[in-house]
Amino acid sequence: MSDAPDTAAVTATARKILTELGDTWAVVGLSDNRDRAAYGVAQVLQRFGKRVVPVHPKAETVHGEQGYPSLDAIPFDVDVVDVFVNSDLAGAVADEAVAIGAKAVWFQLGVVDEAAYDRVRGAGLDMVMDRCPAIEYKSLS
């Protein structure tokens, strides 16, 4: 990133995404595998009132929500796209998030793609990279 945000700016963006940008979160990489981090994070998001929409090639129902094979298959608006895929796949997901009109993109811990960050921010969306919303929620209280 040419203009990497400082920690305070990232924290402020995370807070904005969690509290202001809407309650429908598409979680890319979420399946019914209880051993995956996405499964537990999705539960936390639900506890905080978010609608969690699983996005996975298997389109499984997870936590009571119908899954979809891709972001563009979701037949309603998505506010935030939470990305639980490898960094080398994350940029394409970020581009899809922009294309479907999401308000924000969240790359989970360990998911880093600086070029995707620049594209998403350039498109006018908020974005957090290499952070976990379940952890960030703890810092809100």
Side-chain angles (χ1 to χ4, degrees):
M1 278 176 293
S2 51
D3 56 346
D6 62 26
T7 301
V10 171
T11 300
T13 300
R15 177 180 298 270
K16 178 181 177 186
I17 293 170
L18 292 170
T19 63
E20 299 175 25
L21 292 186
D23 293 330
T24 302
W25 284 52
V27 181
V28 179
L30 175 59
S31 71
D32 68 357
N33 182 343
R34 296 171 184 265
D35 295 330
R36 304 290 304 205
Y39 190 90
V41 170
Q43 283 182 310
V44 171
L45 289 169
Q46 282 185 323
R47 275 200 302 272
F48 282 95
K50 305 302 182 190
R51 178 181 184 187
V52 172
V53 182
V55 179
H56 190 278
K58 294 181 183 177
E60 299 169 320
T61 297
V62 183
H63 301 309
E65 288 285 344
Q66 169 64 49
Y68 296 90
S70 62
L71 288 173
D72 63 0
I74 300 171
F76 46 83
D77 290 341
V78 169
D79 300 310
V80 180
V81 175
D82 189 2
V83 182
F84 275 95
V85 299
N86 293 331
S87 295
D88 59 339
L89 303 175
V93 175
D95 295 338
E96 291 173 35
V98 171
I100 66 162
K103 298 174 187 169
V105 176
W106 192 298
F107 280 8
Q108 283 293 326
L109 286 174
V111 181
V112 176
D113 182 331
E114 294 183 7
Y117 179 92
D118 289 342
R119 289 193 308 274
V120 169
R121 297 292 296 138
L125 283 69
D126 285 301
M127 182 163 178
V128 172
M129 185 166 58
D130 196 22
R131 293 273 183 115
C132 177
I135 295 169
E136 297 300 321
Y137 263 124
K138 293 175 185 172
S139 70
L140 294 180
S141 47

